[in-house]
Amino acid sequence: MMVGAIPATAPVTPEERGVYSTVTTILIIPYVKPAQIDEGLPFPDKRMFLEMTYKPRSTPMLKVALAHGWHGIDGIQATIEQGLAQQRMWYLSDPSLRAGSDRSIFGIELEDSTRKLGESMNDIIPTCTEVDRALFNDDADALTDH
């Protein structure tokens, strides 16, 4: 499994382009499914690429992983599953792995409808210039166009 969390902007600097080159080098390594051992989870048929960035959903890095035969999990799917696990734990006041993984707490039908709702939403499209508020000392300055 590989986890991506690179902003989905086009790489500009040599260092940023180097990240894509390095990751692509890893992504093209052929996958040979290991022999199954008696205990534990089964090995996947494809390697998994978990993209934590969700704006846009189909990031350049996720596209590269899919093009090389990896199973892609986009940031929206990851966020939905994380939210469901947290809700289960919150509801039971039980922060255990057992509680977070128990799909029967809210029911499969409710959870599936939650997934469908989240996955059906469109990408967020900014309607104004995005501002990195961390660059400003005063919050009021961040609200004006620079």
Side-chain angles (χ1 to χ4, degrees), residues 3-7 49-53:
V3 178
I6 298 169
F49 184 86
L50 171 59
E51 177 61 275
M52 294 306 297
T53 304

Side-chain angles (χ1 to χ4, degrees), residues 86-101:
Q86 289 172 336
Q87 265 315 111
R88 294 178 201 124
M89 292 176 190
W90 183 284
Y91 182 76
L92 295 179
S93 296
D94 177 2
S96 69
L97 177 61
R98 183 202 57 76
S101 302

